[in-house]
Amino acid sequence: MTHPALDMRGITVRFGGILALNEVNLSLAPGSVHALIGPNGAGKTTLVSVLSGERRPNQGTVSLNGRDISGLSALRRARLGLTRTYQLTALFQGLSLRENLLLSLVARDQPSLSALDIFRRRDKARHAAEVEDFLNRFALRDKAGEKPASLSHGDRRRLEIAMALASGPEVLLLDEPLAGLSTSDAEALVRTINEGIRGRIPILLIEHDMDAVFQLSDEITVMVNGTVLANGKPDEIRASPEVQAAYLSEEDDF
Ligand SMILES: Nc1ncnc2c1ncn2[C@@H]1O[C@H](COP(=O)(O)OP(=O)(O)O)[C@@H](O)[C@H]1O
Ligand SMILES: [Mg+2]
């Protein structure tokens, strides 16, 4: 049987008297793009912190590809391939985009190497085709020789996601990937996710831009006040009276 890529069962988190999450279940099918949406205070950030291992829930379990990882630290989970997008600070500022991507691929293939050894042993020829594939898929080929600092905001966001993907994750967590981008940069990123990542790896997407959520998602979970209000395909979510009621009353927050 195939396991869900990610399975959260009965997750409950209390902050003093506040029930931030109340027995939340969320299951991510292999290869799917699954959006988590809901108004401010719904519990999205808390759920992601439980998933990444930064916060221990009062109750509930988390499994990655069928393996219970509830007891593992954030670092162990990251090593198992539960990957958040890189911050730009994780990039080598003195190296070109092409070289940064190369180092991610070397690190993926030889996870026990130190950063220095990754740098010393990098073998351009061995990963050349894959590096070019990443540059193409993420629309970064024209910028391949440039340093990260010279990139536009939108290019940088695509590079961060490319680097996360190049490190060989099992599941990618995209936490508001469109935040702060111009309309054209946001459209370019939506295209990149649809054409360059979709189907290769499961993605948990937290995003406020509802147009993007509906364009990108295979499945959507709607949370309100620490509980799951609805879960389903984009069309089902759009047609759900409960979601419409919550959406209309909280429109500004979605
Ligand atoms: N560290 C914290 N201490 C106390 N309450 C918190 C803390 N973090 C979140 N909360 C509360 O938990 C609920 C869910 O918050 P959060 O997960 O940030 O929601 P969202 O990301 O969907 O906006 C809110 O009522 C929020 O006030
Ligand atoms: Mg939040």
Side-chain angles (χ1 to χ4, degrees):
M1 111 178 223
T2 42
H3 296 285
L6 205 61
D7 202 25
M8 305 183 82
R9 292 285 115 200
I11 304 292
T12 296
V13 171
R14 287 187 201 88
F15 295 114
I18 298 175
L19 195 53
L21 296 174
N22 186 10
E23 304 208 356
V24 169
N25 298 328
L26 190 145
S27 191
L28 199 62
S32 69
V33 179
H34 192 132
L36 177 61
I37 64 172
N40 282 330
K44 305 180 297 295
T45 299
T46 306
L47 191 65
V48 170
S49 67
V50 167
L51 182 58
S52 66
E54 291 151 70
R55 181 173 295 286
R56 283 292 144 97
N58 296 83
Q59 284 172 51
T61 58
V62 181
S63 305
L64 179 66
N65 294 322
R67 171 179 176 179
D68 188 338
I69 59 168
S70 310
L72 301 186
S73 68
L75 185 62
R76 295 277 311 279
R77 293 181 197 204
R79 287 199 181 129
L80 286 175
L82 196 54
T83 303
R84 282 185 185 237
T85 45
Y86 275 51
Q87 296 302 308
L88 194 62
T89 50
L91 303 181
F92 293 89
Q93 299 296 337
L95 299 181
S96 69
L97 269 60
R98 182 176 267 121
E99 288 170 310
N100 268 290
L101 278 164
L102 171 65
L103 294 184
S104 279
L105 295 171
V106 175
R108 177 199 66 191
D109 292 350
Q110 293 162 280
S112 59
L113 290 186
S114 69
L116 186 60
D117 278 337
I118 288 169
F119 191 76
R120 282 189 185 136
R121 295 198 206 173
R122 70 194 194 281
D123 176 346
K124 279 185 186 148
R126 182 169 154 199
H127 291 287
E130 209 177 351
V131 167
E132 297 313 308
D133 180 47
F134 268 97
L135 290 169
N136 286 332
R137 277 159 57 205
F138 286 83
L140 291 168
R141 162 155 260 169
D142 294 350
K143 316 278 164 57
E146 294 183 23
K147 308 265 160 64
S150 72
L151 295 181
S152 74
H153 206 44
D155 288 341
R156 211 172 299 178
R157 195 67 59 80
R158 292 201 308 288
L159 177 62
E160 288 167 3
I161 297 174
M163 296 283 292
L165 204 61
S167 72
E170 295 290 330
V171 172
L172 197 56
L173 306 180
L174 296 182
D175 196 353
E176 301 206 23
L178 304 182
L181 295 186
S182 69
T183 307
S184 61
D185 281 339
E187 283 168 3
L189 182 51
V190 167
R191 245 190 332 272
T192 295
I193 294 172
N194 261 334
E195 293 168 12
I197 317 182
R198 163 176 303 287
R200 294 171 188 248
I201 189 167
I203 298 178
L204 183 64
L205 171 72
I206 319 263
E207 181 52 59
H208 283 275
D209 179 334
M210 292 302 285
D211 288 340
V213 163
F214 280 105
Q215 282 177 54
L216 287 169
S217 306
D218 300 302
E219 194 163 349
I220 301 176
T221 295
V222 186
M223 286 184 63
V224 174
N225 282 332
T227 62
V228 173
L229 179 72
N231 184 80
K233 308 260 172 263
D235 288 347
E236 294 164 350
I237 295 300
R238 227 192 281 266
S240 155
E242 290 99 336
V243 174
Q244 280 173 8
Y247 179 75
L248 290 175
S249 63
E250 303 272 1
E251 190 161 21
D252 293 342
D253 291 331
F254 263 87

